[in-house]
Amino acid sequence: MPAEKKPRAKTATKPARPRPGGDAAKKKRSTAKQGSGTLVIVESPAKASTIKKYLGEGFEVKASVGHVKDLPKATLGIDIEHDFQPVYVVIDAKKKVIAEIKSAAKRAARVLLAPDPDREGEAIAWHIADEIRPCNGNIQRVLFNEITKKAVLEAIEHPQELDAKKYDSQQARRVLDRLVGYQISPILWSKVRRGLSAGRVQSVAVRLLVEREEEIRAFRSEEYWTVEFDVEGERPPAFAIRVVKLDGEKPNLAHEGQATEIVELVRQAAPHVTAVERKERRKNPPAPFITSRLQQEASSKLRFSPKRTMALAQRLYEGLELGAEGPTGLITYMRTDSTRIADDAVTAVRALIGSRFSAAHLPAEPNLFKSKKSAQDAHEAIRPTLLDHEPERVRALLTDAGAGRDAREIDDLVKLYTLIWNRFVACQMAPAVFDQTTIDIAAGRVGLRASGQVMRFPGFLDVYAEAQEDAASEEESGGSLPDVREGETLRLLGERPEQHFTQPPPRYSEATLVRELEEKGIGRPSTYAAILSTVQDRGYAEKREGRLAPTELGVVVNGLLVKSFPDILNADFTAQMEERLDLVEEGAADWIQLLRDFYAPFERDLSRAKVEMRDLRREEEPTEEVCEKCGKPMVIKWGRNGYFLACSGYPECRNTKEYTRNPDGTLTVLPTTRPSDQICPTCGSPMVIRRGRFGEFLACSRYPECKTTSPVSLGVACPRPGCGGYLTEKRSKRGKVFYGCSNYAKSKCDFVSWDRPIPKPCPNCGAVFVVQKVLRSGGRLRCLAEGCGWGADLDDGDLEQAS
């Protein structure tokens, strides 16, 4: 079907128009009064500044600052009865921007739309075109994969028509997300609580977290033993061997007695070498970054959230002020799933490798990498735009031009840029080469083995090594092994039977959840950061010791959605939908038919859910607990902050309590108060510690006669000069713990920290306190004082103080 005859999205103020590139648009271009010069419209002011530097006179560059039109917030905005036509409206905050763009379009001879080269960028371009066409019909699209002078000028010289297929794909995705979010969420409001949301992709991500948590809770640890021996041959050094077989089978050492039996069997035999295998092992360099891999590596190596990674990458792509060089784009487009590299970039990096490293570091031919089947190959992999911009040079230029720029921000930008730089250089280097030796030993009925490897040539490892998070490690290998021969007898020096216990699967980190979403085909590289942010912002998941865990709310909502919307919450279904959306972009599927196929069964599920979904707001679970105030039974109810115990005599009796559920199903009621050493400043009575909606607080023991309250001190004075307050634990509206000044609620002090303040002076600068940061590998202390930079791992004493 020709592009100009396809059904168009509705607008709230004007009838649907033909698409740019159709006959009507061409006629407009030929008859419209022409201005002079070229108007280029991009998404961000930073990008506009960088591009303006390259274009010079005759070009005006404007920024839309993201989307200018969207579906209305107050209504569904989709005409379901007429083939799901969306009704777009100009975003209120963008009316002034649109007016300025229209005014500039009237002055220009032509308009080039240059938002980002992806689906969202295409949608922005289409919506801007809809608004400015009456002012100037001479509209074309330009695409920048990198913001360098060469790339920008080349794109300007070769403008294109807007891409109807890419726009259709984005529009289908937007309509799908709106249908799911705006039609499921009200059901959750009526059954659980107001303000909740469901999402086509976010809800599947929450399901993964919940199912992993269920695996962890259901896991039953089992004991097992391993046995190693220290031995010595005819030539040093001594080395370790481990038990791998018993009577020709893999041993199952379930208890200490079996391990002891193995030790006795080996002692009574004469261990001798049965085989020695020496071989060369090569480790190939990793592919250059795609979006998901960049997010994973930045999470594992730099502790950046995917959201933080993408925000920094966006700035590196759009351009940073590099002193006299002005705004400069440092990396190629950061939303890509292709590992393709431009030929001139390969040539440049090979020249750099040849000049910096030995000849052996440079392969005879460039390394090639296969992209996954579903990859959109329009963009290159993520790489530096110019190899002249080395990381430390960029740091120096950013620092010199950094008036008003936060030092930590510069550091984070350089860290991410360095990661991208090193990965790109490494991807075109030679493999690392190892000498690997395996020695098999027999001792009667017991088979043992020693493995070791020595790096013979580092290759790409001189530049970059991938992080291994939650991945099954390669076969354990020690260092160099002695030169032994087949038949040689070994002398026993000692044994090491060790007890172990099987471990449950780990919770997902942000890096491993991104990897899981990618492997299952859920979402696309451009959506991962938003997914992880949304599930935490909505209160469905939280970080515990650096890992993602579902909250009670997440578990409850997931259970309701899985039962009522089995397709929406199905990972395979979601992945298949992503594939169909890709087909729309390729022109192999129709977006309206895709929505028709989706909506018929979804509508049936909606109707059933409105009637059959559990109504938690009205449910009460009886318990054996008795209200000490009125003697009536206590019941478990659902409230804004989760399940709690409430008196069944409500509203006459408003007694409530918190509880925990034990493994056997019984309840343990938590104390609502505990004593403190504080005295009420109002009436002189003892203060007690109570727990409320936003955490613990001090309250007068004579409540309700005296209603004096105050925050619980952490024993640290507020560092703000002249404040006079003290630091205390607080809780956000979404339940996330943070630390702030006791004067924070009075709007007198804005000091906050996500890390827990510890009353311990900094050994480096003498600051009166440091903070405790929880990492996956354990705890760490660091100083917040500007310019100090002190940090150290937590020791037992620190942990006691922190608790």
Side-chain angles (χ1 to χ4, degrees), residues 572-603:
D572 291 338
F573 177 87
T574 306
Q576 290 165 12
M577 184 60 69
E578 295 291 352
E579 291 174 359
R580 291 191 65 186
L581 289 166
D582 289 343
L583 291 176
V584 171
E585 184 168 345
E586 295 166 12
D590 179 74
W591 73 280
I592 294 175
Q593 188 59 49
L594 179 153
L595 292 171
R596 289 172 181 162
D597 294 342
F598 165 82
Y599 197 72
F602 177 60
E603 189 175 31

PDB file of all heavy atoms in Angstrom, residues 572-603:
ATOM      1  N   ASP A 572       7.588 -15.534  26.536  1.00  0.00           N
ATOM      2  CA  ASP A 572       7.610 -15.933  25.126  1.00  0.00           C
ATOM      3  C   ASP A 572       6.662 -15.082  24.299  1.00  0.00           C
ATOM      4  O   ASP A 572       6.987 -14.667  23.173  1.00  0.00           O
ATOM      5  CB  ASP A 572       7.237 -17.411  24.989  1.00  0.00           C
ATOM      6  CG  ASP A 572       8.310 -18.333  25.538  1.00  0.00           C
ATOM      7  OD1 ASP A 572       9.468 -17.893  25.640  1.00  0.00           O
ATOM      8  OD2 ASP A 572       7.985 -19.487  25.877  1.00  0.00           O
ATOM      9  N   PHE A 573       5.478 -14.812  24.845  1.00  0.00           N
ATOM     10  CA  PHE A 573       4.509 -13.975  24.142  1.00  0.00           C
ATOM     11  C   PHE A 573       5.085 -12.579  23.913  1.00  0.00           C
ATOM     12  O   PHE A 573       4.976 -12.003  22.824  1.00  0.00           O
ATOM     13  CB  PHE A 573       3.217 -13.894  24.951  1.00  0.00           C
ATOM     14  CG  PHE A 573       2.174 -12.983  24.354  1.00  0.00           C
ATOM     15  CD1 PHE A 573       1.276 -13.463  23.410  1.00  0.00           C
ATOM     16  CD2 PHE A 573       2.080 -11.641  24.743  1.00  0.00           C
ATOM     17  CE1 PHE A 573       0.312 -12.623  22.857  1.00  0.00           C
ATOM     18  CE2 PHE A 573       1.128 -10.799  24.195  1.00  0.00           C
ATOM     19  CZ  PHE A 573       0.238 -11.293  23.253  1.00  0.00           C
ATOM     20  N   THR A 574       5.726 -12.015  24.951  1.00  0.00           N
ATOM     21  CA  THR A 574       6.308 -10.679  24.841  1.00  0.00           C
ATOM     22  C   THR A 574       7.428 -10.653  23.811  1.00  0.00           C
ATOM     23  O   THR A 574       7.556  -9.708  23.032  1.00  0.00           O
ATOM     24  CB  THR A 574       6.836 -10.219  26.213  1.00  0.00           C
ATOM     25  OG1 THR A 574       5.774 -10.319  27.166  1.00  0.00           O
ATOM     26  CG2 THR A 574       7.334  -8.799  26.170  1.00  0.00           C
ATOM     27  N   ALA A 575       8.245 -11.715  23.796  1.00  0.00           N
ATOM     28  CA  ALA A 575       9.342 -11.789  22.821  1.00  0.00           C
ATOM     29  C   ALA A 575       8.796 -11.893  21.398  1.00  0.00           C
ATOM     30  O   ALA A 575       9.330 -11.267  20.471  1.00  0.00           O
ATOM     31  CB  ALA A 575      10.229 -12.988  23.134  1.00  0.00           C
ATOM     32  N   GLN A 576       7.748 -12.688  21.206  1.00  0.00           N
ATOM     33  CA  GLN A 576       7.139 -12.811  19.877  1.00  0.00           C
ATOM     34  C   GLN A 576       6.559 -11.476  19.405  1.00  0.00           C
ATOM     35  O   GLN A 576       6.634 -11.142  18.220  1.00  0.00           O
ATOM     36  CB  GLN A 576       6.057 -13.888  19.900  1.00  0.00           C
ATOM     37  CG  GLN A 576       6.600 -15.297  20.053  1.00  0.00           C
ATOM     38  CD  GLN A 576       5.531 -16.295  20.430  1.00  0.00           C
ATOM     39  OE1 GLN A 576       4.331 -16.000  20.370  1.00  0.00           O
ATOM     40  NE2 GLN A 576       5.948 -17.492  20.827  1.00  0.00           N
ATOM     41  N   MET A 577       5.999 -10.709  20.350  1.00  0.00           N
ATOM     42  CA  MET A 577       5.472  -9.392  19.987  1.00  0.00           C
ATOM     43  C   MET A 577       6.595  -8.474  19.532  1.00  0.00           C
ATOM     44  O   MET A 577       6.447  -7.698  18.583  1.00  0.00           O
ATOM     45  CB  MET A 577       4.727  -8.789  21.177  1.00  0.00           C
ATOM     46  CG  MET A 577       4.045  -7.450  20.872  1.00  0.00           C
ATOM     47  SD  MET A 577       2.811  -7.593  19.555  1.00  0.00           S
ATOM     48  CE  MET A 577       1.556  -8.570  20.376  1.00  0.00           C
ATOM     49  N   GLU A 578       7.757  -8.542  20.201  1.00  0.00           N
ATOM     50  CA  GLU A 578       8.904  -7.739  19.781  1.00  0.00           C
ATOM     51  C   GLU A 578       9.325  -8.108  18.358  1.00  0.00           C
ATOM     52  O   GLU A 578       9.659  -7.241  17.549  1.00  0.00           O
ATOM     53  CB  GLU A 578      10.082  -7.942  20.740  1.00  0.00           C
ATOM     54  CG  GLU A 578       9.844  -7.435  22.156  1.00  0.00           C
ATOM     55  CD  GLU A 578       9.777  -5.928  22.245  1.00  0.00           C
ATOM     56  OE1 GLU A 578      10.067  -5.243  21.247  1.00  0.00           O
ATOM     57  OE2 GLU A 578       9.410  -5.432  23.320  1.00  0.00           O
ATOM     58  N   GLU A 579       9.297  -9.396  18.047  1.00  0.00           N
ATOM     59  CA  GLU A 579       9.669  -9.841  16.705  1.00  0.00           C
ATOM     60  C   GLU A 579       8.682  -9.313  15.666  1.00  0.00           C
ATOM     61  O   GLU A 579       9.071  -8.910  14.568  1.00  0.00           O
ATOM     62  CB  GLU A 579       9.728 -11.365  16.665  1.00  0.00           C
ATOM     63  CG  GLU A 579      10.880 -11.954  17.481  1.00  0.00           C
ATOM     64  CD  GLU A 579      10.836 -13.476  17.547  1.00  0.00           C
ATOM     65  OE1 GLU A 579       9.893 -14.056  16.959  1.00  0.00           O
ATOM     66  OE2 GLU A 579      11.726 -14.056  18.184  1.00  0.00           O
ATOM     67  N   ARG A 580       7.393  -9.308  16.021  1.00  0.00           N
ATOM     68  CA  ARG A 580       6.388  -8.799  15.080  1.00  0.00           C
ATOM     69  C   ARG A 580       6.551  -7.296  14.866  1.00  0.00           C
ATOM     70  O   ARG A 580       6.361  -6.787  13.757  1.00  0.00           O
ATOM     71  CB  ARG A 580       4.983  -9.115  15.590  1.00  0.00           C
ATOM     72  CG  ARG A 580       4.645 -10.601  15.563  1.00  0.00           C
ATOM     73  CD  ARG A 580       3.168 -10.840  15.811  1.00  0.00           C
ATOM     74  NE  ARG A 580       2.350 -10.289  14.739  1.00  0.00           N
ATOM     75  CZ  ARG A 580       1.016 -10.260  14.750  1.00  0.00           C
ATOM     76  NH1 ARG A 580       0.363 -10.732  15.803  1.00  0.00           N
ATOM     77  NH2 ARG A 580       0.341  -9.747  13.736  1.00  0.00           N
ATOM     78  N   LEU A 581       6.909  -6.581  15.919  1.00  0.00           N
ATOM     79  CA  LEU A 581       7.159  -5.147  15.769  1.00  0.00           C
ATOM     80  C   LEU A 581       8.368  -4.894  14.872  1.00  0.00           C
ATOM     81  O   LEU A 581       8.388  -3.930  14.094  1.00  0.00           O
ATOM     82  CB  LEU A 581       7.377  -4.521  17.147  1.00  0.00           C
ATOM     83  CG  LEU A 581       6.122  -4.415  18.029  1.00  0.00           C
ATOM     84  CD1 LEU A 581       6.506  -4.108  19.472  1.00  0.00           C
ATOM     85  CD2 LEU A 581       5.171  -3.353  17.498  1.00  0.00           C
ATOM     86  N   ASP A 582       9.369  -5.760  14.968  1.00  0.00           N
ATOM     87  CA  ASP A 582      10.521  -5.660  14.063  1.00  0.00           C
ATOM     88  C   ASP A 582      10.094  -5.898  12.624  1.00  0.00           C
ATOM     89  O   ASP A 582      10.587  -5.242  11.695  1.00  0.00           O
ATOM     90  CB  ASP A 582      11.602  -6.660  14.462  1.00  0.00           C
ATOM     91  CG  ASP A 582      12.312  -6.277  15.756  1.00  0.00           C
ATOM     92  OD1 ASP A 582      12.204  -5.110  16.171  1.00  0.00           O
ATOM     93  OD2 ASP A 582      12.956  -7.162  16.364  1.00  0.00           O
ATOM     94  N   LEU A 583       9.161  -6.838  12.420  1.00  0.00           N
ATOM     95  CA  LEU A 583       8.663  -7.113  11.065  1.00  0.00           C
ATOM     96  C   LEU A 583       7.924  -5.901  10.500  1.00  0.00           C
ATOM     97  O   LEU A 583       7.990  -5.630   9.296  1.00  0.00           O
ATOM     98  CB  LEU A 583       7.748  -8.337  11.078  1.00  0.00           C
ATOM     99  CG  LEU A 583       8.425  -9.691  11.347  1.00  0.00           C
ATOM    100  CD1 LEU A 583       7.380 -10.804  11.426  1.00  0.00           C
ATOM    101  CD2 LEU A 583       9.441 -10.019  10.243  1.00  0.00           C
ATOM    102  N   VAL A 584       7.215  -5.174  11.354  1.00  0.00           N
ATOM    103  CA  VAL A 584       6.549  -3.950  10.899  1.00  0.00           C
ATOM    104  C   VAL A 584       7.594  -2.966  10.394  1.00  0.00           C
ATOM    105  O   VAL A 584       7.430  -2.353   9.337  1.00  0.00           O
ATOM    106  CB  VAL A 584       5.719  -3.320  12.041  1.00  0.00           C
ATOM    107  CG1 VAL A 584       5.197  -1.934  11.635  1.00  0.00           C
ATOM    108  CG2 VAL A 584       4.553  -4.228  12.416  1.00  0.00           C
ATOM    109  N   GLU A 585       8.685  -2.823  11.125  1.00  0.00           N
ATOM    110  CA  GLU A 585       9.743  -1.898  10.709  1.00  0.00           C
ATOM    111  C   GLU A 585      10.386  -2.321   9.394  1.00  0.00           C
ATOM    112  O   GLU A 585      10.829  -1.488   8.609  1.00  0.00           O
ATOM    113  CB  GLU A 585      10.801  -1.793  11.816  1.00  0.00           C
ATOM    114  CG  GLU A 585      11.884  -0.780  11.512  1.00  0.00           C
ATOM    115  CD  GLU A 585      12.760  -0.480  12.717  1.00  0.00           C
ATOM    116  OE1 GLU A 585      12.356  -0.827  13.843  1.00  0.00           O
ATOM    117  OE2 GLU A 585      13.831   0.111  12.521  1.00  0.00           O
ATOM    118  N   GLU A 586      10.420  -3.627   9.168  1.00  0.00           N
ATOM    119  CA  GLU A 586      10.989  -4.136   7.920  1.00  0.00           C
ATOM    120  C   GLU A 586       9.995  -4.089   6.769  1.00  0.00           C
ATOM    121  O   GLU A 586      10.349  -4.401   5.626  1.00  0.00           O
ATOM    122  CB  GLU A 586      11.455  -5.587   8.130  1.00  0.00           C
ATOM    123  CG  GLU A 586      12.600  -5.720   9.129  1.00  0.00           C
ATOM    124  CD  GLU A 586      12.811  -7.157   9.578  1.00  0.00           C
ATOM    125  OE1 GLU A 586      12.219  -8.057   8.946  1.00  0.00           O
ATOM    126  OE2 GLU A 586      13.537  -7.378  10.558  1.00  0.00           O
ATOM    127  N   GLY A 587       8.755  -3.725   7.061  1.00  0.00           N
ATOM    128  CA  GLY A 587       7.740  -3.689   6.012  1.00  0.00           C
ATOM    129  C   GLY A 587       7.106  -5.028   5.727  1.00  0.00           C
ATOM    130  O   GLY A 587       6.378  -5.182   4.748  1.00  0.00           O
ATOM    131  N   ALA A 588       7.367  -6.015   6.600  1.00  0.00           N
ATOM    132  CA  ALA A 588       6.859  -7.374   6.370  1.00  0.00           C
ATOM    133  C   ALA A 588       5.591  -7.667   7.162  1.00  0.00           C
ATOM    134  O   ALA A 588       5.069  -8.783   7.088  1.00  0.00           O
ATOM    135  CB  ALA A 588       7.942  -8.391   6.732  1.00  0.00           C
ATOM    136  N   ALA A 589       5.100  -6.713   7.925  1.00  0.00           N
ATOM    137  CA  ALA A 589       3.862  -6.913   8.698  1.00  0.00           C
ATOM    138  C   ALA A 589       3.144  -5.584   8.812  1.00  0.00           C
ATOM    139  O   ALA A 589       3.763  -4.510   8.744  1.00  0.00           O
ATOM    140  CB  ALA A 589       4.175  -7.481  10.091  1.00  0.00           C
ATOM    141  N   ASP A 590       1.816  -5.654   8.950  1.00  0.00           N
ATOM    142  CA  ASP A 590       0.994  -4.456   9.042  1.00  0.00           C
ATOM    143  C   ASP A 590       0.711  -4.142  10.511  1.00  0.00           C
ATOM    144  O   ASP A 590       0.271  -5.008  11.276  1.00  0.00           O
ATOM    145  CB  ASP A 590      -0.328  -4.683   8.300  1.00  0.00           C
ATOM    146  CG  ASP A 590      -1.233  -3.468   8.386  1.00  0.00           C
ATOM    147  OD1 ASP A 590      -0.943  -2.470   7.706  1.00  0.00           O
ATOM    148  OD2 ASP A 590      -2.214  -3.524   9.161  1.00  0.00           O
ATOM    149  N   TRP A 591       0.932  -2.901  10.919  1.00  0.00           N
ATOM    150  CA  TRP A 591       0.811  -2.552  12.331  1.00  0.00           C
ATOM    151  C   TRP A 591      -0.622  -2.629  12.833  1.00  0.00           C
ATOM    152  O   TRP A 591      -0.867  -2.994  13.975  1.00  0.00           O
ATOM    153  CB  TRP A 591       1.422  -1.182  12.601  1.00  0.00           C
ATOM    154  CG  TRP A 591       0.642   0.007  12.104  1.00  0.00           C
ATOM    155  CD1 TRP A 591       0.613   0.492  10.846  1.00  0.00           C
ATOM    156  CD2 TRP A 591      -0.178   0.864  12.901  1.00  0.00           C
ATOM    157  NE1 TRP A 591      -0.177   1.595  10.780  1.00  0.00           N
ATOM    158  CE2 TRP A 591      -0.686   1.857  12.027  1.00  0.00           C
ATOM    159  CE3 TRP A 591      -0.538   0.907  14.238  1.00  0.00           C
ATOM    160  CZ2 TRP A 591      -1.539   2.872  12.459  1.00  0.00           C
ATOM    161  CZ3 TRP A 591      -1.396   1.922  14.671  1.00  0.00           C
ATOM    162  CH2 TRP A 591      -1.886   2.886  13.799  1.00  0.00           C
ATOM    163  N   ILE A 592      -1.570  -2.320  11.971  1.00  0.00           N
ATOM    164  CA  ILE A 592      -2.976  -2.376  12.405  1.00  0.00           C
ATOM    165  C   ILE A 592      -3.417  -3.821  12.608  1.00  0.00           C
ATOM    166  O   ILE A 592      -4.106  -4.143  13.584  1.00  0.00           O
ATOM    167  CB  ILE A 592      -3.871  -1.663  11.380  1.00  0.00           C
ATOM    168  CG1 ILE A 592      -3.546  -0.168  11.366  1.00  0.00           C
ATOM    169  CG2 ILE A 592      -5.353  -1.892  11.699  1.00  0.00           C
ATOM    170  CD1 ILE A 592      -4.280   0.628  10.321  1.00  0.00           C
ATOM    171  N   GLN A 593      -2.999  -4.709  11.707  1.00  0.00           N
ATOM    172  CA  GLN A 593      -3.356  -6.120  11.880  1.00  0.00           C
ATOM    173  C   GLN A 593      -2.710  -6.688  13.132  1.00  0.00           C
ATOM    174  O   GLN A 593      -3.308  -7.498  13.848  1.00  0.00           O
ATOM    175  CB  GLN A 593      -2.916  -6.927  10.645  1.00  0.00           C
ATOM    176  CG  GLN A 593      -3.402  -8.363  10.651  1.00  0.00           C
ATOM    177  CD  GLN A 593      -4.911  -8.459  10.708  1.00  0.00           C
ATOM    178  OE1 GLN A 593      -5.615  -7.800   9.943  1.00  0.00           O
ATOM    179  NE2 GLN A 593      -5.432  -9.284  11.616  1.00  0.00           N
ATOM    180  N   LEU A 594      -1.480  -6.248  13.431  1.00  0.00           N
ATOM    181  CA  LEU A 594      -0.817  -6.687  14.660  1.00  0.00           C
ATOM    182  C   LEU A 594      -1.660  -6.315  15.875  1.00  0.00           C
ATOM    183  O   LEU A 594      -1.865  -7.126  16.782  1.00  0.00           O
ATOM    184  CB  LEU A 594       0.572  -6.032  14.736  1.00  0.00           C
ATOM    185  CG  LEU A 594       1.456  -6.328  15.950  1.00  0.00           C
ATOM    186  CD1 LEU A 594       2.931  -6.198  15.575  1.00  0.00           C
ATOM    187  CD2 LEU A 594       1.174  -5.389  17.123  1.00  0.00           C
ATOM    188  N   LEU A 595      -2.188  -5.093  15.889  1.00  0.00           N
ATOM    189  CA  LEU A 595      -2.997  -4.649  17.018  1.00  0.00           C
ATOM    190  C   LEU A 595      -4.334  -5.390  17.088  1.00  0.00           C
ATOM    191  O   LEU A 595      -4.818  -5.710  18.176  1.00  0.00           O
ATOM    192  CB  LEU A 595      -3.236  -3.145  16.924  1.00  0.00           C
ATOM    193  CG  LEU A 595      -1.979  -2.274  17.127  1.00  0.00           C
ATOM    194  CD1 LEU A 595      -2.267  -0.822  16.791  1.00  0.00           C
ATOM    195  CD2 LEU A 595      -1.475  -2.388  18.560  1.00  0.00           C
ATOM    196  N   ARG A 596      -4.925  -5.673  15.935  1.00  0.00           N
ATOM    197  CA  ARG A 596      -6.173  -6.446  15.928  1.00  0.00           C
ATOM    198  C   ARG A 596      -5.955  -7.825  16.535  1.00  0.00           C
ATOM    199  O   ARG A 596      -6.751  -8.298  17.358  1.00  0.00           O
ATOM    200  CB  ARG A 596      -6.686  -6.584  14.496  1.00  0.00           C
ATOM    201  CG  ARG A 596      -7.247  -5.312  13.865  1.00  0.00           C
ATOM    202  CD  ARG A 596      -7.533  -5.563  12.398  1.00  0.00           C
ATOM    203  NE  ARG A 596      -8.042  -4.378  11.710  1.00  0.00           N
ATOM    204  CZ  ARG A 596      -8.036  -4.236  10.394  1.00  0.00           C
ATOM    205  NH1 ARG A 596      -7.543  -5.205   9.617  1.00  0.00           N
ATOM    206  NH2 ARG A 596      -8.524  -3.138   9.845  1.00  0.00           N
ATOM    207  N   ASP A 597      -4.874  -8.479  16.121  1.00  0.00           N
ATOM    208  CA  ASP A 597      -4.588  -9.826  16.639  1.00  0.00           C
ATOM    209  C   ASP A 597      -4.355  -9.801  18.140  1.00  0.00           C
ATOM    210  O   ASP A 597      -4.722 -10.737  18.856  1.00  0.00           O
ATOM    211  CB  ASP A 597      -3.355 -10.398  15.933  1.00  0.00           C
ATOM    212  CG  ASP A 597      -3.587 -10.635  14.445  1.00  0.00           C
ATOM    213  OD1 ASP A 597      -4.762 -10.680  14.033  1.00  0.00           O
ATOM    214  OD2 ASP A 597      -2.594 -10.769  13.710  1.00  0.00           O
ATOM    215  N   PHE A 598      -3.725  -8.744  18.625  1.00  0.00           N
ATOM    216  CA  PHE A 598      -3.443  -8.639  20.053  1.00  0.00           C
ATOM    217  C   PHE A 598      -4.702  -8.334  20.867  1.00  0.00           C
ATOM    218  O   PHE A 598      -4.918  -8.907  21.943  1.00  0.00           O
ATOM    219  CB  PHE A 598      -2.402  -7.539  20.292  1.00  0.00           C
ATOM    220  CG  PHE A 598      -2.292  -7.095  21.724  1.00  0.00           C
ATOM    221  CD1 PHE A 598      -1.542  -7.823  22.626  1.00  0.00           C
ATOM    222  CD2 PHE A 598      -2.960  -5.956  22.175  1.00  0.00           C
ATOM    223  CE1 PHE A 598      -1.451  -7.428  23.963  1.00  0.00           C
ATOM    224  CE2 PHE A 598      -2.877  -5.557  23.500  1.00  0.00           C
ATOM    225  CZ  PHE A 598      -2.117  -6.301  24.393  1.00  0.00           C
ATOM    226  N   TYR A 599      -5.537  -7.432  20.351  1.00  0.00           N
ATOM    227  CA  TYR A 599      -6.566  -6.860  21.204  1.00  0.00           C
ATOM    228  C   TYR A 599      -7.739  -7.797  21.485  1.00  0.00           C
ATOM    229  O   TYR A 599      -8.330  -7.724  22.568  1.00  0.00           O
ATOM    230  CB  TYR A 599      -7.091  -5.552  20.607  1.00  0.00           C
ATOM    231  CG  TYR A 599      -7.843  -4.738  21.632  1.00  0.00           C
ATOM    232  CD1 TYR A 599      -7.170  -4.092  22.651  1.00  0.00           C
ATOM    233  CD2 TYR A 599      -9.237  -4.641  21.593  1.00  0.00           C
ATOM    234  CE1 TYR A 599      -7.839  -3.364  23.623  1.00  0.00           C
ATOM    235  CE2 TYR A 599      -9.922  -3.900  22.562  1.00  0.00           C
ATOM    236  CZ  TYR A 599      -9.206  -3.272  23.566  1.00  0.00           C
ATOM    237  OH  TYR A 599      -9.885  -2.558  24.525  1.00  0.00           O
ATOM    238  N   ALA A 600      -8.092  -8.657  20.550  1.00  0.00           N
ATOM    239  CA  ALA A 600      -9.268  -9.516  20.764  1.00  0.00           C
ATOM    240  C   ALA A 600      -9.139 -10.375  22.029  1.00  0.00           C
ATOM    241  O   ALA A 600     -10.006 -10.319  22.915  1.00  0.00           O
ATOM    242  CB  ALA A 600      -9.520 -10.374  19.528  1.00  0.00           C
ATOM    243  N   PRO A 601      -8.048 -11.149  22.192  1.00  0.00           N
ATOM    244  CA  PRO A 601      -7.924 -11.920  23.440  1.00  0.00           C
ATOM    245  C   PRO A 601      -7.656 -11.030  24.653  1.00  0.00           C
ATOM    246  O   PRO A 601      -8.089 -11.337  25.766  1.00  0.00           O
ATOM    247  CB  PRO A 601      -6.742 -12.855  23.172  1.00  0.00           C
ATOM    248  CG  PRO A 601      -5.977 -12.222  22.059  1.00  0.00           C
ATOM    249  CD  PRO A 601      -6.973 -11.494  21.229  1.00  0.00           C
ATOM    250  N   PHE A 602      -6.970  -9.929  24.457  1.00  0.00           N
ATOM    251  CA  PHE A 602      -6.691  -9.018  25.572  1.00  0.00           C
ATOM    252  C   PHE A 602      -7.983  -8.427  26.126  1.00  0.00           C
ATOM    253  O   PHE A 602      -8.165  -8.313  27.348  1.00  0.00           O
ATOM    254  CB  PHE A 602      -5.752  -7.907  25.108  1.00  0.00           C
ATOM    255  CG  PHE A 602      -5.456  -6.862  26.150  1.00  0.00           C
ATOM    256  CD1 PHE A 602      -4.853  -7.208  27.348  1.00  0.00           C
ATOM    257  CD2 PHE A 602      -5.791  -5.534  25.938  1.00  0.00           C
ATOM    258  CE1 PHE A 602      -4.570  -6.247  28.317  1.00  0.00           C
ATOM    259  CE2 PHE A 602      -5.522  -4.566  26.898  1.00  0.00           C
ATOM    260  CZ  PHE A 602      -4.910  -4.920  28.084  1.00  0.00           C
ATOM    261  N   GLU A 603      -8.898  -8.080  25.239  1.00  0.00           N
ATOM    262  CA  GLU A 603     -10.172  -7.507  25.680  1.00  0.00           C
ATOM    263  C   GLU A 603     -10.959  -8.503  26.518  1.00  0.00           C
ATOM    264  O   GLU A 603     -11.596  -8.133  27.507  1.00  0.00           O
ATOM    265  CB  GLU A 603     -10.981  -7.062  24.462  1.00  0.00           C
ATOM    266  CG  GLU A 603     -12.227  -6.270  24.808  1.00  0.00           C
ATOM    267  CD  GLU A 603     -12.926  -5.754  23.566  1.00  0.00           C
ATOM    268  OE1 GLU A 603     -12.854  -6.428  22.519  1.00  0.00           O
ATOM    269  OE2 GLU A 603     -13.548  -4.686  23.641  1.00  0.00           O
TER     270      GLU A 603
END
